[in-house]
């Protein structure tokens, strides 16, 4: 059974940067798409960014465009989320998600991803 493991969260001041990492543990992993979601306290989990595994097509939520960059290293089976110019409203638990069935179409809906990590906390202080 594959598990997704996120790392790289922490506390940073507004305007700072963090890089999150998502890596699978367990057997070889060949997803169609890997995405990042986040959940702020009291809010629904929301889509942040996604990347297709073979073509590297990327998609971003409007709230993070121009500040966040999603990328992947196929050799390491790892996906990154580089977060720059962080704002206090970026504070959330960030989750890595992957889709291994159904194809590489874009979706920001949670139910289109069948593997999830446990999340990593990102806190941006003002």
């Amino acid at each position: 059974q594959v598990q997704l493991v996120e790392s790289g969260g922490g506390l940073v001041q507004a305007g700072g940067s963090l890089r999150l990492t998502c890596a699978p543990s367990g057997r070889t992993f060949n997803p169609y798409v890997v995405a990042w979601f986040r959940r702020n306290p009291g809010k629904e989990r929301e889509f942040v960014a996604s990347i297709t595994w073979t073509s590297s097509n990327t998609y971003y939520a409007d709230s993070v465009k121009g500040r966040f960059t999603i990328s992947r290293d196929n050799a390491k089976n790892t996906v990154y989320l580089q977060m720059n110019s962080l704002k206090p409203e970026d504070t959330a638990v960030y989750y890595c998600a992957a889709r291994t069935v159904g194809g590489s179409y874009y979706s920001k809906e949670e139910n289109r991803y069948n593997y999830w990590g446990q999340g990593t906390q990102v806190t941006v202080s003002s």
Side-chain angles (χ1 to χ4, degrees), residues 11-29:
L11 173 64
V12 65
Q13 288 189 327
S17 299
L18 283 174
R19 188 176 79 158
L20 304 184
T21 298
C22 172
S25 64
R27 59 178 173 82
T28 302
F29 190 55

Side-chain angles (χ1 to χ4, degrees), residues 33-122:
V33 181
V34 176
W36 288 94
F37 286 75
R38 67 186 181 186
R39 177 181 281 151
N40 292 320
K43 293 187 177 181
E44 298 286 324
R45 189 155 53 183
E46 64 175 356
F47 171 83
V48 175
S50 66
I51 186 167
T52 57
W53 201 248
T54 55
S55 59
S56 290
N57 291 331
T58 57
Y59 301 91
Y60 296 92
D62 287 342
S63 58
V64 306
K65 277 181 184 175
R67 300 187 299 122
F68 291 11
T69 302
I70 188 170
S71 61
R72 92 274 187 269
D73 183 332
N74 285 17
K76 296 182 178 179
N77 240 14
T78 299
V79 171
Y80 306 99
L81 184 68
Q82 178 66 44
M83 306 185 295
N84 298 327
S85 302
L86 282 161
K87 304 174 181 180
E89 51 263 43
D90 294 316
T91 295
V93 177
Y94 284 72
Y95 299 89
C96 177
R99 182 188 316 133
T100 60
V101 295
S104 59
Y105 59 89
Y106 160 70
S107 177
K108 60 180 182 178
E109 302 300 322
E110 288 186 54
N111 61 10
R112 300 298 180 178
Y113 297 87
N114 56 321
Y115 282 96
W116 288 85
Q118 295 298 308
T120 184
Q121 176 71 47
V122 171

